Amino acid sequence: MNVAQKPVALSVMTHCVFFGIRPMMIITQKITSLAYEIHDGMFRKDEELTASQRGLAVRRMPSLLEYLSYNCNFMGILAGPLCSYKDYITFIEGRSYHMTRSGENGKEEIQNERAEPSPNVAVIQKLLVCGLSLLFHLTISNTLPVEYNIDENFQATASWPTKVIYLYVSLLAARPKYYFAWTLADAINNAAGFGFRGYDENGTARWDLISNLRIQQIEMSTSFKMFLDNWNIQTALWLKRVCYERASLSPTIQTFVLSAIWHGVYPGYYLTFLTGVVMTLAARAMRNNFRHYFIKPPQLKLLYDVITWIVTQIAISYTVVPFVLLSVKPSFMFYSSWYYGLHVAGILVLLLLPVKKTQRGKNTQENVQLARSKKFDERENSLGQNSFSTTNNVCNQNQEIASRHSSLKQ
C-alpha cells in the first residue's frame, strides 16, 4: 500500500469501527445504566443515593416489552445517543410535553396549556450541521491526514511551529465525522418527537435533551475539562453514573480505563485515555493554582483565555492522536517525535504543584431533590406508572451536566 492510499484505508477502517461497533457500544451503555438504575430504585435506600441517582432510579422492574423497546428502538440503535430509561418511557407514554410549575401551595402542578411543540426547526438546523460536517469531512479531511504527523520527511524537514499547527489542523479536520454522526442521530430522535427538554426563558422549545455535543464550546474550549464537558456528553454522563460515582479508589483513573475498554481493543484507545488521565489531572492542578490570579481585569482575563485555548487545543490534539492512529507503533512514533513533551510536562506539574482535593459528598440541593423525588414517586405510584416526568429528568440531567465539572475534576 503506497503512502497515498494509507489515508483512505485508515478512513475506511475508522468508519467501519465507528458504524460497525457503535450499536454494541450503545446497547452496552443502555443495559448497564438500566441495571444500576433498577438497583438504585429497588435495592438501595434514598439517603444512600446522590440527587441524580434518585432522579433516575427505576422503582419497578420493566416488562420484557419495555426492556426490548428501550434497548432496540429504531431511533437510537445505530449511533445512539444514550438516554435514560425514564426519559425514554416518559416519551413512549406521551408525557414528555407535560410541564410542571410550583403552585401557590408549594406543590408541583402539571400544566398542559401549551400545544405540543414541533421539532421541525430543530431537525432542520441539525440536518444543516450534518450537511456542513459531511461536506467538510469529504473535501478537507482527506487532504489533512492525521498520519502525516508521523511522516519521516515531514518530521525531518518541518519546523516546530509547523508541526504544532499541522497537529491542530489535522485533528480539527478529523472531528467533523463525529459531528455528522452524533448530530444526525440527535436529529432522528427529534424527528420522532424524542428529545424535548422544556422551554427556555423566551418560551422557545428546546430539543437538546439527549444531544451529544456542543460544537462551538468544543472548538472554543479553554480547558481540558471544558472540552470533555461538551464532547460525547451522554457517554460522559454514563461513565459518571456507572463508574465515577461508585468508585471508591481513584475514580478518575477507573473512569478513563473503563472508557478505553468500552471503546474497544485497539491499543491506541488505551494510550489516549491513559494520556488523558495525566492531562486531566495536570490541567486541573494548573487551573486551581493559577486561574484566580487572572480573573481581573478583563484584559488579563482575555489574555489568559487566549493562552489556555492554545494550550488546550494542542493538548487535546496531542492526546487523541493514538485514538485516530489505533496501532501501537505509529502512536509511539508520534509521541517520540514530540519527545513525550506533554507527558513529561504533565507529570512535572503533578509533582511540583499542590493538588486541591475536592470532596465527592452530597451537595446542599440533594435534600430538596429528595423531597421532590418522593413527591413524584407518590404521584406515579397512584397512577400505576414507573417513571418521572421528562421535566424532572431534565432537571436531573441539567444537574448532572453541571456536576460533571466536579466529577471530571476528581
Side-chain angles (χ1 to χ4, degrees):
M1 182 180 298
N2 59 43
V3 176
Q5 292 175 323
K6 287 183 179 179
V8 177
L10 183 61
S11 178
V12 172
M13 182 188 303
T14 304
H15 279 75
C16 291
V17 170
F18 188 84
F19 292 106
I21 305 300
R22 190 70 181 176
M24 297 193 326
M25 298 167 71
I26 294 297
I27 290 178
T28 299
Q29 287 183 321
K30 290 183 176 181
I31 292 175
T32 53
S33 61
L34 178 56
Y36 277 113
E37 289 163 7
I38 294 173
H39 176 71
D40 291 340
M42 300 181 64
F43 302 100
R44 296 179 68 190
K45 298 178 181 179
D46 278 348
E47 55 267 23
E48 298 175 348
L49 307 176
T50 65
S52 61
Q53 289 171 350
R54 280 194 295 270
L56 295 172
V58 176
R59 312 288 176 175
R60 179 181 66 83
M61 189 66 68
S63 67
L64 179 61
L65 178 60
E66 291 169 332
Y67 176 78
L68 294 177
S69 176
Y70 171 63
N71 281 292
C72 302
N73 69 84
F74 76 94
M75 300 178 296
I77 189 65
L78 180 60
L82 173 69
C83 64
S84 72
Y85 174 79
K86 280 194 166 182
D87 281 334
Y88 176 74
I89 292 299
T90 298
F91 161 69
I92 289 297
E93 293 177 350
R95 295 181 289 113
S96 56
Y97 304 117
H98 292 179
M99 304 302 295
T100 61
R101 63 178 176 86
S102 296
E104 295 179 357
N105 56 2
K107 295 183 178 180
E108 298 204 352
E109 302 173 352
I110 294 179
Q111 55 180 2
N112 298 308
E113 62 268 17
R114 290 180 187 260
E116 181 176 312
S118 171
N120 291 343
V121 174
V123 171
I124 292 173
Q125 290 175 343
K126 291 174 183 180
L127 289 178
L128 288 175
V129 172
C130 288
L132 292 174
S133 299
L134 183 61
L135 179 64
F136 187 92
H137 175 67
L138 294 177
T139 57
I140 299 179
S141 298
N142 290 336
T143 64
L144 299 169
V146 175
E147 65 270 19
Y148 191 65
N149 285 283
I150 58 173
D151 181 81
E152 294 182 359
N153 182 60
F154 176 74
Q155 290 294 337
T157 59
S159 63
W160 269 107
T162 302
K163 292 180 181 179
V164 172
I165 292 173
Y166 186 82
L167 173 67
Y168 167 69
V169 173
S170 62
L171 268 298
L172 176 66
R175 289 198 280 265
K177 62 175 176 284
Y178 298 99
Y179 295 166
F180 167 77
W182 287 334
T183 306
L184 180 60
D186 194 14
I188 290 171
N189 281 271
N190 291 168
F194 186 35
F196 177 63
R197 193 178 180 178
Y199 298 90
D200 60 19
E201 61 276 6
N202 298 320
T204 304
R206 302 177 62 185
W207 288 90
D208 58 351
L209 177 65
I210 55 173
S211 294
N212 222 9
L213 75 166
R214 303 183 187 95
I215 297 176
Q216 182 177 353
Q217 287 85 339
I218 288 171
E219 300 302 343
M220 300 304 295
S221 295
T222 57
S223 69
F224 214 88
K225 176 177 68 64
M226 182 178 176
F227 185 96
L228 296 177
D229 283 345
N230 294 285
W231 174 270
N232 207 354
I233 296 170
Q234 302 305 321
T235 293
L237 289 174
W238 170 71
L239 290 168
K240 172 180 176 287
R241 295 168 188 165
V242 305
C243 182
Y244 185 86
E245 291 183 337
R246 305 172 194 273
S248 57
L249 179 65
S250 302
T252 299
I253 296 176
Q254 289 192 42
T255 302
F256 272 96
V257 171
L258 173 60
S259 183
I261 295 173
W262 173 74
H263 276 86
V265 297
Y266 285 101
Y269 296 155
Y270 294 85
L271 290 174
T272 285
F273 287 106
L274 291 177
T275 303
V277 173
V278 177
M279 296 298 141
T280 300
L281 297 178
R284 180 196 312 158
M286 291 289 291
R287 188 177 182 86
N288 289 339
N289 283 277
F290 296 109
R291 186 177 185 274
H292 55 278
Y293 294 117
F294 298 90
I295 301 299
K296 294 180 180 179
Q299 295 82 358
L300 191 60
K301 175 65 165 56
L302 177 61
L303 177 62
Y304 174 84
D305 287 341
V306 171
I307 294 175
T308 53
W309 176 82
I310 294 173
V311 173
T312 297
Q313 297 303 320
I314 295 174
I316 289 290
S317 301
Y318 176 90
T319 300
V320 302
V321 165
F323 191 94
V324 179
L325 297 179
L326 299 177
S327 301
V328 172
K329 183 178 179 180
S331 298
F332 279 117
M333 285 177 61
F334 169 75
Y335 281 147
S336 62
S337 70
W338 279 62
Y339 305 102
Y340 298 90
L342 295 191
H343 286 88
V344 174
I347 293 172
L348 288 177
V349 166
L350 294 177
L351 292 176
L352 298 177
L353 293 180
V355 178
K356 180 181 178 181
K357 294 183 179 181
T358 55
Q359 187 176 359
R360 291 185 300 154
K362 298 181 180 180
N363 57 50
T364 57
Q365 297 179 350
E366 288 202 359
N367 291 332
V368 176
Q369 189 70 28
L370 175 58
R372 176 178 296 180
S373 198
K374 288 181 177 179
K375 288 180 182 179
F376 274 89
D377 276 343
E378 292 171 0
R379 179 191 301 166
E380 293 190 349
N381 288 336
S382 65
L383 295 176
Q385 297 170 335
N386 61 2
S387 60
F388 298 121
S389 68
T390 294
T391 304
N392 190 41
N393 281 335
V394 167
C395 294
N396 290 326
Q397 191 160 3
N398 278 334
Q399 189 175 24
E400 281 191 352
I401 293 174
S403 66
R404 286 180 57 228
H405 291 276
S406 60
S407 70
L408 291 174
K409 284 172 69 178
Q410 305 307 316

